[in-house]
C-alpha cells in the first residue's frame, strides 16, 4: 500500500538544543510503524511536530499526509484529519468513562447532551477495545491498564486514521501490555495505521511491520520487521554492538544492613483492610534483593510505608539499620537513617519539574552543599555536573529545567538525586521504566558499584529479566505478603509466576 504519511527532513530546535536535526519517516497505510531510539533521541518531539503541538513554521522540513501538504497550526488541525496522539493517562478521574470519551466532543441535540446516544456510542467503543465496564463507571474505579483502554476508545471516537502511541505500555503490567498490543493488532486489521514508540524491543518485534531508528535527532535506518533481531535495533540505536544487557557482578554478601520485622500496614482508605501483612526481610551489605509481583501486589506500598510512612495507616513493626532500630516515621528521618527511595512515578513524587537539573540533584541532601543554611551554588553545580557525566544525562547544561528533558533523562535525574544522599539502603522502584537499553546498562552498572561498595539494594521491577539479571535473591509478593523466596540460581520467570499463581 502507499504511504499515508511522509515526514521529510524534519528539524526542530529549542534554545541551546537541536532536538531534531534531519529526520525522515515514511509510514505505509495500514502498517504498525515503530520508532526506536535512545532517551533524548527526539522521538516524542517528532510526534509533537506531526500532531501540531509544535505548529507549522516552528520546525524545518515538510509533512505530507494523505498526499497533501500538512501545515498544522494546532492539535485540532491534525485531529481533524484523523491524526490522534494518544496521551498516557490524561483522563479526568472523577468523570465517567462516557464523559471522558466525549469530553470536548459532546453528542448534543439542540445544545443538550444526548446521554442515551453518548452511552450507546461509548458501549460500542468499549466493545471495540475489549473493556467490560459500564459507560457510567467512574474512571477512578479503573486500573491503569483499563484507563489506557479508555484513552484508546477516546481516540477511536474521533474517526482515527493514524494513531500515535508514545510509550503506551510503560506503566502497564505484563498482561495489560499484552492486551493493549493485541488491540493494536486488531485495529490494524480494521485498517487503522499506527505509530508506536517503545523502549520494550520485544513488544516492537511483536507488533511492528517496520521500525525506524532515530539517533541524535537523525534517522539512522528503517528496517523491515520480518527477521529483525533486537540486537540489530540496539546496534542502530546506540551506534555500536552491545554484547550484554547486564554487567557482570561478583556476588558477595556481608553484614546485615537493613532488617524489617513484622511489618504491617493498614490501607489508608479501606479501614479494615491490611495492605501489607507480617512482612519480614533482610538485606546484607553488597546484596541486591529483588521484589517480584504482579501489579497491585503491594510492592510500591511496602517501599513507601517504610520510607517515611509515605503510604498507609496504623503501621506497625520495626526497621533496623546495622542492627539498631531506627526511626523512619517521616521522610526526613528515613533519609537520616540511611534510606533512599527512587520512585517509579517521577512526575509526582520524584522531581520538581519547573526547577533546574542542578537544584533537583541536590534536593534530598541540601546540607551537603550548604553553609549556614545557604546553598553554595558553585558546589551545587559541581555535584550536578558530576552526576550528569556519570549517568550521561543528555542535556546542554545542568541549568536546564527538568521539564525540558526527555522522559528517560528525567528518570536519571531522580536517580542522581538519591545517589547524592549516599544511602546505606537504596530502594529502587521500577528504576528503568522508559529508559533505553544503553542507559539501562549504565544504571545496572551503578547498582553494581553501590553493592560493591557494601551498600544494600532493594529492586522492585515488573521486568522479570531485569530482576533475574541483577538480583542475588528475589522475594515474590502477592496480596501484601511474601509468598516465596528464590535464590539467583533457583529464580526463573516460571518459578516466580508459579509462586504467584499457587496462592
Ligand atoms: N521544550 C523543550 N525545551 C528544550 N529542550 C527540549 C524540549 N523538548 C525536548 N527537548 C530536548 O530535545 C531532545 C529530544 O527530546 P525528546 O523528548 O523528543 O526525546 P525522546 O526520544 O522522546 O526521549 P525518551 O526516550 O527519553 O522519551 C532532548 O535533548 C530534550 O531535552
Ligand atoms: Mg519521549
Amino acid at each position: 500500500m502507499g504511504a499515508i504519511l511522509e515526514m521529510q527532513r524534519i528539524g526542530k530546535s529549542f534554545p541551546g538544543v537541536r532536538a531534531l536535526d534531519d529526520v525522515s519517516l515514511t509510514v505505509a497505510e495500514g502498517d504498525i510503524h515503530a520508532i526506536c531510539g535512545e532517551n533524548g533521541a527526539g522521538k516524542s518531539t517528532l510526534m509533537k511536530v506531526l500532531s501540531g503541538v509544535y505548529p507549522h513554521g516552528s520546525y524545518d522540513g515538510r509533512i505530507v499526509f494523505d498526499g497533501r501538504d500538512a501545515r498544522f497550526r494546532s492539535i485540532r488541525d491534525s485531529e481533524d484529519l484523523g491524526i490522534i496522539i494518544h496521551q498516557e493517562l490524561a483522563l479526568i478521574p472523577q468523570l465517567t468513562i462516557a464523559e471522558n470519551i466525549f469530553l470536548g466532543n459532546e453528542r448534543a441535540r439542540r445544545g443538550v447532551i444526548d446521554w442515551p446516544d453518548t452511552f450507546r456510542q461509548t458501549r460500542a467503543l468499549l466493545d471495540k477495545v475489549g473493556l467490560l465496564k459500564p459507560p457510567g463507571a467512574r474512571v477512578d474505579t479503573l486500573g491503569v491498564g483499563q484507563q489506557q483502554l479508555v484513552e484508546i476508545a477516546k481516540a477511536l471516537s474521533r474517526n482515527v486514521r493514524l494513531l500515535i502511541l508514545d510509550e503506551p505500555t510503560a506503566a502497564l503490567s505484563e498482561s495489560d501490555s499484552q492486551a493493549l498490543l493485541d488491540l493494536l493488532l486488531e485495529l490494524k486489521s480494521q485498517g487503522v495505521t499506527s505509530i508506536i514508540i517503545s523502549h520494550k524491543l520485544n513488544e516492537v518485534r511483536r507488533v511492528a511491520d517496520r521500525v525506524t531508528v532515530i539517533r541524535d535527532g537523525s534517522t539512522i535506518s528503517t528496517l523491515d520487521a520480518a527477521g529483525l533481531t533486537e540486537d540489530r535495533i540496539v546496534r542502530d540505536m546506540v551506534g555500536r554492538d552491545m554484547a550484554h544487557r547486564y554487567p557482570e557482578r561478583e556476588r558477595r554478601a556481608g553484614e546485615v544492613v537493613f532488617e524489617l520485622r513484622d511489618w504491617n500496614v493498614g490501607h489508608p482508605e479501606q479501614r479494615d483492610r491490611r495492605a501489607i501483612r507480617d512482612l519480614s526481610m533482610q538485606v546484607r551489605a553488597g546484596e541486591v534483593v529483588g521484589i517480584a509481583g504482579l501489579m497491585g501486589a503491594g510492592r510500591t506500598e511496602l517501599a513507601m510505608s517504610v520510607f517515611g510512612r509515605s503510604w498507609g495507616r496504623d503501621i506497625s513493626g520495626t526497621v533496623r539499620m546495622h542492627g539498631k532500630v531506627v526511626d523512619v516515621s517521616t521522610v526526613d528521618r528515613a533519609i537520616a537513617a540511611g534510606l533512599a527511595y527512587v520512585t517509579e512515578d517521577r512526575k509526582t513524587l520524584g522531581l520538581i519539574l519547573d526547577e533546574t537539573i542542578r537544584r533537583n540533584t541536590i534536593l534530598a541532601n541540601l546540607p551537603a552543599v550548604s553553609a549556614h543554611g545557604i546553598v553554595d551554588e558553585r558546589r551545587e553545580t559541581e555535584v550536578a555536573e558530576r552526576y550528569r557525566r556519570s549517568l550521561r544525562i543528555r542535556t546542554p547544561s545542568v541549568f536546564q529545567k527538568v521539564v525540558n528533558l526527555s522522559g528517560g533523562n528525567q528518570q536519571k535525574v531522580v536517580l542522581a538525586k538519591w545517589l547524592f544522599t549516599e544511602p546505606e539502603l537504596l530502594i529502587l522502584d521500577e528504576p528503568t521504566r522508559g529508559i533505553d537499553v544503553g542507559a539501562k546498562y549504565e544504571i545496572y552498572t551503578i547498582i553494581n558499584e553501590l553493592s560493591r561498595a557494601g551498600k544494600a539494594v532493594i529492586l522492585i521491577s515488573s521486568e522479570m529479566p531485569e530482576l533475574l539479571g541483577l538480583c542475588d535473591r528475589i522475594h515474590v509478593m502477592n496480596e501484601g505478603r511474601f509468598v516465596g523466596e528464590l535464590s539467583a540460581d533457583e529464580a526463573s520467570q516460571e518459578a516466580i509466576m508459579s509462586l504467584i499463581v499457587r496462592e
Side-chain angles (χ1 to χ4, degrees):
M1 256 195 256
I4 188 170
L5 170 73
E6 268 184 74
M7 299 183 80
Q8 298 165 354
R9 315 214 59 177
I10 304 294
K12 169 78 190 165
S13 294
F14 300 104
V17 189
R18 183 88 177 139
L20 297 175
D21 194 36
D22 181 5
V23 174
S24 295
L25 173 71
T26 303
V27 177
E29 180 146 27
D31 264 6
I32 298 178
H33 198 113
I35 300 179
C36 295
E38 293 185 287
N39 298 128
K43 304 176 297 294
S44 298
T45 305
L46 186 70
M47 292 304 105
K48 288 178 187 163
V49 165
L50 171 58
S51 57
V53 174
Y54 299 134
H56 182 255
S58 72
Y59 59 86
D60 312 318
R62 184 163 169 243
I63 303 175
V64 180
F65 185 73
D66 249 351
R68 274 189 221 105
D69 251 321
R71 300 179 176 186
F72 305 132
R73 284 156 303 170
S74 68
I75 293 203
R76 262 248 115 89
D77 286 354
S78 66
E79 277 180 2
D80 286 345
L81 295 189
I83 299 176
I84 305 291
I85 187 159
H86 159 271
Q87 306 201 351
E88 189 194 326
L89 306 184
L91 301 173
I92 301 174
Q94 298 82 9
L95 297 184
T96 63
I97 297 176
E99 285 166 333
N100 265 288
I101 288 181
F102 288 100
L103 196 70
N105 189 17
E106 285 88 359
R107 312 279 99 183
R109 249 189 299 177
R110 292 192 216 100
V112 180
I113 294 183
D114 183 347
W115 286 112
D117 187 42
T118 302
F119 271 53
R120 209 164 27 247
Q121 294 206 35
T122 303
R123 186 65 270 158
L125 288 165
L126 293 182
D127 282 346
K128 219 167 169 177
V129 300
L131 180 61
L132 304 167
K133 287 278 172 176
R138 267 169 60 141
V139 162
D140 55 9
T141 64
L142 307 178
V144 217
Q146 296 174 326
Q147 292 191 25
Q148 208 80 303
L149 294 177
V150 174
E151 301 266 8
I152 297 200
K154 183 170 173 132
L156 297 181
S157 75
R158 284 178 283 188
N159 197 16
V160 59
R161 301 224 28 228
L162 175 64
L163 182 62
I164 303 169
L165 302 118
D166 193 345
E167 298 190 45
T169 63
L172 299 191
S173 68
E174 189 68 30
S175 58
D176 283 344
S177 301
Q178 294 304 329
L180 189 118
L181 297 174
D182 286 341
L183 173 60
L184 213 59
L185 290 167
E186 168 63 26
L187 293 175
K188 176 186 158 173
S189 73
Q190 297 169 21
V192 176
T193 311
S194 43
I195 294 178
I196 179 170
I197 296 175
S198 177
H199 289 292
K200 300 182 182 172
L201 301 182
N202 54 344
E203 296 183 356
V204 167
R205 284 221 315 142
R206 186 167 154 227
V207 299
D209 298 295
R210 294 173 82 72
V211 181
T212 293
V213 180
I214 300 176
R215 192 197 316 151
D216 292 334
S218 298
T219 304
I220 298 298
S221 55
T222 292
L223 308 162
D224 242 318
L228 187 60
T229 62
E230 288 183 30
D231 284 345
R232 176 63 208 279
I233 303 174
V234 171
R235 194 210 307 163
D236 285 356
M237 281 173 66
V238 303
R240 61 188 153 81
D241 277 313
M242 262 187 73
H244 302 286
R245 299 278 177 90
Y246 300 94
E248 281 294 324
R249 227 185 103 222
E250 49 175 302
R251 307 185 188 276
R252 205 188 309 140
E255 301 276 281
V256 174
V257 172
F258 168 79
E259 186 177 8
L260 189 67
R261 267 196 216 161
D262 306 322
W263 199 248
N264 279 282
V265 180
H267 195 281
E269 278 108 41
Q270 299 159 20
R271 289 203 151 248
D272 40 2
R273 193 171 139 215
R274 268 198 298 161
I276 306 288
R277 289 180 283 166
D278 302 322
L279 273 194
S280 296
M281 73 181 292
Q282 291 184 339
V283 187
R284 293 172 177 276
E287 262 194 323
V288 179
V289 175
I291 303 182
L294 302 178
M295 216 167 256
R299 296 167 301 166
T300 294
E301 290 78 1
L302 169 65
M304 289 176 73
S305 66
V306 170
F307 191 66
R309 308 203 171 183
S310 323
W311 192 91
R313 60 200 295 274
D314 300 334
I315 297 175
S316 67
T318 51
V319 176
R320 285 182 171 76
M321 293 295 287
H322 297 289
K324 286 202 199 66
V325 174
V326 291
D327 178 3
V328 292
S329 58
T330 66
V331 168
D332 285 343
R333 288 175 190 162
I335 293 172
L339 272 62
Y341 173 50
V342 176
T343 160
E344 58 172 349
D345 190 352
R346 59 186 169 245
K347 286 220 178 71
T348 58
L349 292 167
L351 295 171
I352 303 177
L353 288 178
D354 208 37
E355 270 288 2
T356 59
I357 297 168
R358 183 175 79 142
R359 184 49 55 91
N360 274 285
T361 304
I362 61 150
L363 216 53
N365 193 8
L366 285 168
V369 289
S370 307
H372 314 297
I374 296 167
V375 173
D376 177 342
E377 299 203 352
R378 202 177 44 84
R379 276 165 66 199
E380 184 186 12
T381 309
E382 275 170 21
V383 169
E385 277 296 340
R386 196 171 80 222
Y387 285 106
R388 180 175 77 99
R389 277 195 304 275
S390 67
L391 296 179
R392 294 197 217 170
I393 298 168
R394 204 177 285 222
T395 171
S397 101
V398 295
F399 297 94
Q400 274 280 347
K401 286 186 176 176
V402 164
V403 68
N404 291 335
L405 291 180
S406 76
N409 283 298
Q410 289 182 2
Q411 183 69 3
K412 292 189 198 173
V413 177
V414 181
L415 193 61
K417 167 178 150 180
W418 291 108
L419 288 177
F420 183 51
T421 66
E422 303 193 331
E424 289 296 298
L425 171 74
L426 184 66
I427 307 172
L428 297 160
D429 194 345
E430 306 287 358
T432 62
R433 178 170 286 174
I435 299 243
D436 70 57
V437 282
K440 272 184 183 163
Y441 192 89
E442 289 159 26
I443 288 177
Y444 300 151
T445 305
I446 289 165
I447 293 175
N448 283 353
E449 280 165 10
L450 284 172
S451 75
R452 198 176 312 131
K455 309 292 183 199
V457 179
I458 294 177
L459 177 65
I460 297 170
S461 177
S462 303
E463 286 187 45
M464 290 219 208
E466 181 167 285
L467 288 174
L468 299 171
L470 292 174
C471 297
D472 302 303
R473 290 186 286 126
I474 298 173
H475 286 288
V476 181
M477 193 167 178
N478 196 20
E479 296 183 351
R481 286 178 306 134
F482 283 161
V483 294
E485 183 185 334
L486 298 163
S487 69
D489 299 333
E490 300 164 326
S492 65
Q493 303 220 10
E494 296 73 32
I496 292 172
M497 281 319 294
S498 74
L499 279 171
I500 292 174
V501 298
R502 203 181 61 193
E503 276 298 293

